[in-house]
């Protein structure tokens, strides 16, 4: 694999220093007040709420047979899962990858990160995401360069309530620790609760929720659109969010959209 080039701008160095300080204080805090409890086995696990052993159990098992479209586990089906077969949702997404299954204690992990705001998990997730991004880039970019990442934008109002956006923070680490190009091409328009809607309703509602940012803003970011991008989100449920985003990206002229999420509900 070709080596990844790190962008060492002055800003990156400042961020590294900031990260180092943050980490240092976290270790001091853990030393005096005791560390986190592992969400899986309950043992003391230091600064993040998962111990090193359970961290390895996080990953979607490689041996599992997975749907070639959405990436969900196949039970008895061949190649396509039953939902992709009966009402296919992912048309604009060329391929979809997820790091962890959203099951058992892993649900608590997502809760700890998003809701309890255990932000120490962000760099951990970013390191896993980076490995996957490098892997995807190997097969989708003939030049072996690392593909740029387009983040799925959060619901309006969400940041104001909570003060931070998880995907944005992941992107911060991806850019500053691994030199990945982040392209915030998309904007989210409407505000609605997705959870209570069923699969089809959700797709219907979310279809019009994303738009590409104005051409001028995009041109400020780069001269020409990339051929292939990785679309990044935290959880894949039905895939309707990813599809709506990928649809917009393809409409703009991007050829391949590969989706990557941390968790998959399967
Ligand atoms: Zn553990
Ligand atoms: Zn599927």
């Amino acid at each position: 694999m070709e080596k990844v080039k790190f962008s060492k701008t002055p800003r990156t160095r400042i961020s590294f220093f900031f990260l180092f300080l943050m980490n240092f204080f976290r270790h001091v805090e853990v030393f005096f007040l005791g560390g986190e409890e592992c969400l899986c086995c309950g043992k003391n696990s230091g600064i993040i709420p998962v111990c090193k052993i359970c961290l390895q159990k996080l990953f979607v098992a490689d041996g599992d047979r997975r749907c070639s479209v959405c990436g969900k586990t196949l039970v008895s089906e061949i190649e396509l899962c039953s939902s992709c077969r009966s009402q296919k949702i992912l048309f604009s997404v060329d391929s979809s990858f997820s790091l962890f299954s959203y099951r058992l204690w892993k649900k608590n992990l997502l809760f700890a990160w998003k809701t309890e705001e255990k932000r120490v998990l962000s760099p951990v997730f970013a390191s896993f995401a980076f490995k996957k991004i490098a892997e995807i880039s190997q097969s989708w970019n003939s030049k072996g360069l690392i593909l740029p990442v387009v983040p799925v934008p959060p619901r309006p109002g969400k940041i104001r309530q909570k003060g931070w956006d998880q995907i944005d923070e992941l992107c911060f680490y991806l850019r500053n620790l691994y030199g990945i190009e982040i392209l915030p091409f998309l904007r989210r328009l409407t505000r609605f609760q997705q959870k209570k809607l069923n699969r089809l309703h959700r797709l219907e509602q979310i279809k019009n929720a994303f738009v590409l940012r104005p051409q001028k803003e995009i041109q400020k970011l780069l001269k020409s659109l990339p051929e292939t991008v990785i679309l990044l989100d935290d959880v894949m449920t039905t895939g309707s969010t990813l599809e709506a985003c990928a649809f917009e990206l393809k409409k703009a002229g991007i050829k391949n959209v590969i989706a990557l999420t941390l968790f998959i509900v399967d």
Side-chain angles (χ1 to χ4, degrees), residues 4-6 123 126-128 130 173-180:
V4 185
K5 287 194 183 78
F6 292 91
S127 77
F128 293 146
F130 169 69
Y173 286 105
L174 286 174
R175 181 175 51 225
N176 292 310
L177 291 180
Y178 306 103
I180 290 182

Side-chain angles (χ1 to χ4, degrees), residues 38-43 45 50-55 57:
C38 174
L39 284 170
C40 178
C41 69
K43 286 182 192 144
S45 58
V50 203
C51 72
K52 275 186 186 138
I53 296 162
C54 296
L55 210 54
K57 294 185 206 161

Side-chain angles (χ1 to χ4, degrees), residues 10-59:
R11 199 180 140 199
T12 314
R13 257 177 257 135
I14 291 167
S15 309
F16 270 124
F17 181 66
F18 176 70
L19 290 177
F20 172 80
L21 265 189
M22 233 173 62
N23 228 351
F24 175 76
F25 285 121
R26 188 81 189 118
H27 277 104
V28 171
E29 193 189 323
V30 163
F31 181 79
F32 287 108
L33 301 171
E36 294 276 352
E37 234 171 52
C38 174
L39 284 170
C40 178
C41 69
K43 286 182 192 144
N44 189 296
S45 58
I47 70 166
I48 61 164
V50 203
C51 72
K52 275 186 186 138
I53 296 162
C54 296
L55 210 54
Q56 300 309 315
K57 294 185 206 161
L58 254 176
F59 292 95

Side-chain angles (χ1 to χ4, degrees), residues 13-212:
R13 257 177 257 135
I14 291 167
S15 309
F16 270 124
F17 181 66
F18 176 70
L19 290 177
F20 172 80
L21 265 189
M22 233 173 62
N23 228 351
F24 175 76
F25 285 121
R26 188 81 189 118
H27 277 104
V28 171
E29 193 189 323
V30 163
F31 181 79
F32 287 108
L33 301 171
E36 294 276 352
E37 234 171 52
C38 174
L39 284 170
C40 178
C41 69
K43 286 182 192 144
N44 189 296
S45 58
I47 70 166
I48 61 164
V50 203
C51 72
K52 275 186 186 138
I53 296 162
C54 296
L55 210 54
Q56 300 309 315
K57 294 185 206 161
L58 254 176
F59 292 95
V60 162
D62 285 335
D64 277 11
R65 290 186 313 115
R66 305 210 149 252
C67 172
S68 62
V69 177
C70 70
K72 295 188 180 185
T73 319
L74 296 176
V75 185
S76 59
E77 310 96 324
I78 305 157
E79 202 180 352
L80 290 184
C81 71
S82 51
S83 39
C84 283
R85 210 177 278 269
S86 58
Q87 24 180 262
K88 192 177 171 191
I89 280 185
L90 297 176
F91 292 98
S92 312
V93 174
D94 292 278
S95 201
S96 178
F97 300 91
S98 300
L99 297 174
F100 324 121
S101 286
Y102 186 66
R103 291 184 206 159
L104 308 166
W105 65 278
K106 296 167 193 172
K107 286 187 183 178
N108 301 340
L109 191 65
L110 186 66
F111 185 81
W113 186 46
K114 284 181 83 160
T115 312
E116 294 177 342
E117 300 187 36
K118 300 214 187 265
R119 291 168 77 159
V120 283
L121 282 167
S122 304
V124 180
F125 287 152
S127 77
F128 293 146
F130 169 69
K131 275 183 206 148
K132 198 74 196 174
I133 289 166
E135 213 180 289
I136 297 169
S137 302
Q138 270 306 94
S139 45
W140 281 89
N141 190 327
S142 51
K143 290 171 198 153
L145 294 170
I146 295 287
L147 292 168
V149 165
V150 176
V152 170
R155 273 194 301 281
K158 200 184 120 204
I159 298 179
R160 257 167 282 146
Q161 279 170 17
K162 293 259 178 207
W164 70 300
D165 166 34
Q166 296 86 36
I167 298 306
D168 193 52
E169 184 150 302
L170 266 191
C171 287
F172 168 84
Y173 286 105
L174 286 174
R175 181 175 51 225
N176 292 310
L177 291 180
Y178 306 103
I180 290 182
E181 191 177 11
I182 306 295
L183 304 172
F185 279 171
L186 299 163
R187 268 193 330 176
R188 198 189 288 240
L189 290 179
T190 44
R191 183 183 182 180
F192 54 86
Q193 259 303 346
Q194 266 201 58
K195 274 179 200 156
K196 289 168 198 126
L197 300 169
N198 71 25
R199 193 174 152 95
L200 276 181
H201 274 126
R202 196 190 276 206
L203 185 65
E204 210 41 59
Q205 286 236 23
I206 209 156
K207 245 185 206 164
N208 306 313
F210 299 92
V211 285
L212 212 69

